[in-house]
Amino acid sequence: MTVNSAHDLAGRREVVTEVPGPRSRQLQERRHRAVARGVGSALPVYVRAAGAGLLHDIDGNTFVDLCSGLGVTGVGNAAPDVVAAVRGQVSEFTHTCFLATPYEGYVAVCEELADLTPGDHEKRSALFSTGAEAVENAVKVARAATGRAAVVVLDHAYHGRTNLTLGLTARNNPFKQGFGPFTPEIHRIPASYPFRDPAGQTGEQAARRSLEALERQVGGENVAAVVLEPILGEGGFIVPAPGFLPEIARWCAEYGALLVADEIQSGFCRTGAWFASEHEGVVPDLVASAKGIAGGLPLSAVTGRAEIMDAVQAGGFGGTYGGNPVACAAALASIGVMRRDDLAGAARRIEQTLLGRLKDLQSRHEVIGEVRGRGAMIGVELVRPGTDEPAPELAQRIVAACHARGVFLLTVGTYGNVLRFLPPLVIPQGLLDDALDVLEECFAQVAAGGAG
Ligand SMILES: *Cc1c(COP(=O)(O)O)cnc(C)c1O
């Protein structure tokens, strides 16, 4: 069967087999004989095409996509502008290595990053391929620029899976188990987690508590950088209490430590602004971006104050594939779509729909402890009724029930009990409404004790 594009396929949710279907199950068997066990898949339906908010599998099922490939395809999957830009670039040249002979696309992406990231100071960028690489290089910059070693991270943080970034990542199982030792001079402080922090604690108080411990244990003058996600992603879509981020930023400035915002998941319109730091008027010294930047092509970046970035000696940055020309073409096309179609505005409309419907659901289901998030990055934390005890198995049952009905969403969070809503920013309203109808059915069914 030939499929020219996702746009030739069903434009709505449709489940025609059990999930996963027979062809996917067959492929899954083949996979088990070839692919390492350490690589998981949340829903092993094998995809053959995908578009703006839909995933089509090889069994003829169509899922509403509330995952965007983990927050990557904000502009849509196989977005026409991205496809055209990639086709154009691929037929010109696919790779030279910017370190060998440069090309314009790399420069143009860095110009866009200077324009779009918070703050109007002079900036420089360096491009890489993965998010982890961007965070790792941001730490290198911070150490080179400050001459200090200590790196401070938050509880519930996720920064990647290389050895350094695993050290920065909070959660042991499954991310870190068996993979140590990790690099020294990483210090973890409590995050602001309003749902679980003492009632009435302000963001500023939460930050003071964390920073006072840091001053005692490490000394502010030894800190090269505080690396944080403005909205914790993998940790559970946790929005810090207002005032937390500004107080950390103020402290960094006081001690000459750099504030590194890991905006890999929260950047590029995801939260209803170009970058989530903007919601609190925070201007980070360095910004790491990736995921949403290039519509599915692997590209990441570190952007920061010119004098900080240029503290790294010539030749100190690099990598064979960093800023690959095809990925740069995809990024320029994606950024063009975000501007032209105001995808930050689209994310704010998605937020309205999601928060409205999910808070209504919360009023009817005691298991919903909190509905939170910004833009198209919304989490629903599930608990045992009347407590704040996490209910991860309930989250699994809800998600499984959604999958069986053709709605693809995942769980997230340190306790595995948060439903994560991360749709493409271009998802049609009708698909979002339909997915939420299905979710309501699933809550009703699971609450009634039905099987997933
Ligand atoms: C996904 C993610 C990373 C790691 O990105 P990779 O491309 O998987 O290496 C780092 N930080 C945050 C906040 C992320 O969400």
Side-chain angles (χ1 to χ4, degrees):
M1 189 181 314
T2 328
V3 175
N4 291 323
S5 83
H7 309 278
D8 300 338
L9 294 162
R12 60 186 159 74
R13 180 173 60 89
E14 188 168 52
V15 178
V16 297
T17 69
E18 52 182 322
V19 175
R23 290 182 180 186
S24 284
R25 289 203 303 272
Q26 228 171 31
L27 257 175
Q28 189 71 351
E29 271 174 41
R30 231 174 91 194
R31 167 211 180 122
H32 286 319
R33 291 191 295 274
V35 179
R37 185 177 71 141
V39 187
S41 294
L43 174 60
V45 299
Y46 284 74
V47 172
R48 64 169 175 153
L54 290 172
L55 293 170
H56 308 276
D57 80 5
I58 57 173
D59 288 289
N61 300 308
T62 299
F63 296 82
V64 179
D65 178 16
L66 299 182
C67 171
S68 309
L70 298 181
V72 170
T73 52
V75 296
N77 217 313
D81 292 78
V82 173
V83 170
V86 165
R87 283 210 172 110
Q89 180 58 49
V90 133
S91 62
E92 298 290 339
F93 63 96
T94 49
H95 173 83
T96 63
C97 187
F98 196 76
L99 311 182
T101 49
Y103 39 88
E104 183 179 352
Y106 191 115
V107 179
V109 169
C110 294
E111 286 168 349
E112 290 283 23
L113 285 162
D115 187 34
L116 298 172
T117 52
D120 45 21
H121 48 276
E122 194 165 333
K123 297 171 196 159
R124 301 283 184 270
S125 292
L127 304 184
F128 306 95
S129 301
T130 68
E133 242 186 314
V135 174
E136 181 127 9
N137 278 281
V139 169
K140 282 157 56 179
V141 175
R143 284 179 170 158
T146 61
R148 304 174 183 179
V151 177
V152 176
V153 288
L154 300 183
D155 196 6
H156 308 288
Y158 182 87
H159 295 295
R161 293 181 186 256
T162 59
N163 184 273
L164 173 64
T165 57
L166 272 183
L168 304 177
T169 290
R171 184 169 166 189
N172 180 53
N173 199 17
F175 302 133
K176 301 166 82 166
Q177 179 61 36
F179 298 150
F182 302 108
T183 64
E185 283 303 327
I186 293 169
H187 304 275
R188 194 171 306 284
I189 59 175
S192 165
Y193 192 159
F195 180 63
R196 297 187 175 280
D197 285 345
Q201 186 184 59
T202 67
E204 193 184 332
Q205 286 164 343
R208 288 307 325 155
R209 165 203 64 185
S210 295
L211 294 167
E212 273 160 24
L214 185 66
E215 286 166 22
R216 264 185 286 111
Q217 294 166 14
V218 181
E221 67 280 13
N222 297 316
V223 175
V226 177
V227 179
L228 55 76
E229 299 154 88
I231 296 178
L232 287 152
E234 193 58 44
F237 286 20
I238 304 163
V239 185
F244 181 80
L245 295 176
E247 177 58 16
I248 301 246
R250 193 202 58 73
W251 184 92
C252 284
E254 180 186 336
Y255 281 94
L258 303 185
L259 179 62
V260 179
D262 177 348
E263 293 253 18
I264 287 165
Q265 190 160 173
S266 56
F268 284 96
C269 300
R270 174 55 59 185
T271 68
W274 279 97
F275 290 90
S277 302
E278 293 167 41
H279 296 294
E280 289 222 54
V282 166
V283 178
D285 298 296
L286 298 170
V287 174
S289 41
K291 291 200 165 108
I293 191 174
L297 278 285
L299 186 73
S300 68
V302 181
T303 303
R305 294 181 188 282
E307 66 278 14
I308 293 170
M309 290 295 287
D310 286 341
V312 171
Q313 66 281 10
F317 287 131
T320 308
Y321 296 109
N324 168 274
V326 182
C328 286
L332 294 170
S334 298
I335 291 167
V337 170
M338 290 180 226
R339 271 213 186 87
R340 182 193 68 206
D341 299 342
D342 182 24
L343 293 194
R348 294 193 295 272
R349 284 192 297 281
I350 291 170
E351 172 183 325
Q352 273 187 350
T353 299
L354 285 175
L355 289 187
R357 290 284 301 267
L358 295 170
K359 284 188 172 167
D360 176 58
L361 200 61
Q362 182 181 25
S363 71
R364 281 175 285 125
H365 291 279
E366 249 197 307
V367 293
I368 300 183
E370 191 180 45
V371 176
R372 60 177 177 247
R374 289 191 204 274
M377 187 173 178
I378 303 292
V380 172
E381 178 152 4
L382 302 184
V383 292
R384 287 182 223 300
T387 73
D388 64 2
E389 268 175 66
E393 53 309 300
L394 176 67
Q396 281 310 327
R397 290 217 303 282
I398 298 275
V399 159
C402 286
H403 292 175
R405 287 171 173 79
V407 171
F408 181 49
L409 82 166
L410 297 177
T411 60
V412 72
T414 299
Y415 312 108
N417 65 328
V418 178
L419 303 177
R420 95 164 98 177
F421 296 83
L422 205 58
L425 309 177
V426 294
I427 190 170
Q429 182 70 33
L431 288 183
L432 191 57
D433 291 337
D434 174 53
L436 288 162
D437 290 344
V438 169
L439 182 79
E440 287 206 20
E441 284 168 33
C442 295
F443 263 95
Q445 179 201 341
V446 169

